[in-house]
Amino acid sequence: MKTLTLLRHAKSGWDDPVARDFDRPLNPRGRRAAATMGRHLRALDMAFDRVIASPAVRVQETLDDVGQGFGRMAPEWDRRLYLASAASLLDVIRECPADIGSLLLVGHNPGLEDLVLMLVPDERGGLRDSVEEKYPTATLAQMTFAVDDWAAVAPGGATLTHFIRPRDVDPELGPEA
């Protein structure tokens, strides 16, 4: 059994005058959402054998803030995760050694959302419907696979066990009116 968790970076600051998208930082709301999600992950007693993350500034800051509530993580920064497609993310997953039981990927949309939709069978009425509706910033999706090796992860082979948005943890982090 393998467990894959996907975390989208928290809300970034579009008002910040940065030259490159890669350098865009989080805004104050995003920082609060990331810290809230970190505390919630700790309350759920989640654990990760390996963390692979996009090196974009907003992802680095998300992990810093998640770490305040969850505990420090030591991510492997992988440039391939920056704005990666679902297919590219799947390649990274399949490269993981078989002895890794629980993997956390931290990155960007639309790749993360597309990956969940690729891996989880389309059965109406479940958590997948919420993913299809919207995968907001600082949201976490967790899936399990009945496989012994990450190389065997295949489309339609996942069970979506968690889809947690910041607003599910703290209603004040819901969409702005």
Side-chain angles (χ1 to χ4, degrees):
M1 176 75 75
K2 300 294 181 197
T3 302
L4 173 64
T5 305
L6 306 177
L7 177 64
R8 183 177 176 198
H9 67 78
K11 192 164 186 62
S12 57
W14 284 94
D15 297 336
D16 228 300
V18 294
R20 302 181 311 162
D21 173 75
F22 186 87
D23 298 322
R24 218 165 2 100
L26 296 183
N27 68 20
R29 184 181 180 89
R31 297 202 82 117
R32 195 168 120 228
T36 298
M37 291 300 286
R39 289 188 298 276
H40 191 65
L41 295 178
R42 185 179 182 98
L44 291 174
D45 203 27
M46 288 192 178
F48 310 106
D49 298 326
R50 188 175 197 180
V51 178
I52 305 174
S54 161
V57 169
R58 59 192 177 273
V59 173
Q60 292 180 38
E61 290 182 353
T62 296
L63 282 172
D64 287 346
D65 291 338
V66 165
Q68 290 176 15
F70 178 76
R72 183 132 165 65
M73 291 184 256
E76 298 171 27
W77 305 109
D78 190 328
R79 181 78 183 206
R80 294 177 297 171
L81 269 64
Y82 176 64
L83 304 180
S85 67
S88 295
L89 293 168
L90 187 55
D91 288 343
V92 171
I93 292 163
R94 288 177 171 162
E95 290 173 6
C96 285
D99 65 336
I100 300 294
S102 181
L103 173 64
L104 171 63
L105 292 185
V106 188
H108 312 267
N109 249 8
L112 294 177
E113 178 179 339
D114 292 345
L115 182 62
V116 174
L117 297 176
M118 174 197 296
L119 296 175
V120 177
D122 189 3
E123 298 168 358
R124 293 289 159 208
L127 285 177
R128 188 182 189 279
D129 289 351
S130 296
V131 175
E132 200 166 353
E133 182 181 315
K134 187 172 183 183
Y135 197 122
T137 52
T139 293
L140 174 139
Q142 189 170 70
M143 298 163 278
T144 58
F145 301 86
V147 298
D148 294 325
D149 195 321
W150 290 103
V153 169
T159 300
L160 184 60
T161 57
H162 293 289
F163 184 67
I164 306 166
R165 303 165 295 193
R167 71 177 176 214
D168 299 328
V169 180
D170 179 351
E172 290 185 19
L173 293 169
E176 296 177 76

